[in-house]
Amino acid sequence: MKETIPVHELAQALYSINRHAKTAPEPKHLYHIKKETINRLLKEKRAEKVGLHFSDHPKFSNQHSTLLIKVADYYFHIPPTKDDFKQLSHLGKLDQSYRNPQSKMSLSQAKKIVYNYIDWQPPGKKKRTVSRRKYSSSYFTPSSLGKMEWPPAKTHRNR
């Protein structure tokens, strides 16, 4: 296994990714890698579940809860599982006292750290291979009468 990335560095990376995801035009990927990282940290017991909060952003006018996670001295919210509702206490309305320390990590640096940690690879980009296909047409079949090779090599008419 790779060298262990310090949990504080991962927390800063998650903070940067989360901050960018909130304003990104397409935040789906950022939220996905955030959730993957937090789940792995929980599995390794390097993060802890604090409790449940009511979300500040109700879905379809319905109140719903989010799971509060502590990673180092940072706090994050992810969607809870059914077990979380059974095992954790509900903290009620989102408490503004859970404030994260400021971090000045760039998004590209944060993604690099998280990608390395969760061992994420971008979907394989299709390499464009330049292939020279011989011209063929269903309408025109060239005659090879009197020719030794087809297609003909360059003629010597350079005038």
Side-chain angles (χ1 to χ4, degrees):
M1 194 177 154
K2 299 182 201 89
E3 85 287 346
T4 307
I5 300 166
V7 72
H8 188 76
E9 201 174 304
L10 283 164
Q12 282 184 309
L14 283 169
Y15 175 77
S16 184
I17 286 168
N18 199 42
R19 203 177 68 236
H20 281 86
K22 289 176 181 184
T23 58
E26 293 189 28
K28 197 174 184 178
H29 174 68
L30 294 176
Y31 283 126
H32 172 74
I33 61 175
K34 169 193 164 190
K35 190 176 170 192
E36 283 295 308
T37 304
I38 288 173
N39 284 335
R40 186 168 291 192
L41 284 166
L42 286 167
K43 221 177 269 179
E44 295 172 359
K45 303 210 182 321
R46 294 170 72 193
E48 64 177 287
K49 295 179 179 183
V50 178
L52 297 160
H53 268 157
F54 285 124
S55 174
D56 272 352
H57 309 286
K59 274 187 189 169
F60 312 114
S61 300
N62 291 328
Q63 185 59 267
H64 70 282
S65 297
T66 57
L67 175 61
L68 182 66
I69 304 286
K70 185 175 195 253
V71 181
D73 46 354
Y74 289 82
Y75 291 92
F76 304 99
H77 286 102
I78 61 171
T81 64
K82 287 182 182 175
D83 287 343
D84 293 330
F85 284 102
K86 293 174 190 168
Q87 297 165 356
L88 298 167
S89 59
H90 207 293
L91 307 171
K93 193 170 180 262
L94 202 130
D95 186 351
Q96 295 302 325
S97 68
Y98 291 104
R99 298 314 270 165
N100 287 327
Q102 289 297 306
S103 171
K104 294 286 180 203
M105 186 181 288
S106 71
L107 179 61
S108 59
Q109 177 66 23
K111 284 163 89 176
K112 211 176 285 181
I113 290 166
V114 165
Y115 287 163
N116 185 22
Y117 178 65
I118 62 174
D119 205 22
W120 185 85
Q121 296 293 320
K125 290 185 178 176
K126 293 175 185 154
K127 293 178 183 173
R128 291 182 184 169
T129 53
V130 178
S131 61
R132 298 276 176 213
R133 293 192 331 180
K134 294 209 181 238
Y135 177 78
S136 65
S137 167
S138 57
Y139 299 111
F140 173 72
T141 307
S143 168
S144 60
L145 290 174
K147 308 258 169 106
M148 294 304 287
E149 61 181 57
W150 186 257
K154 286 188 177 179
T155 57
H156 298 288
R157 288 197 244 166
N158 294 338
R159 290 184 206 153

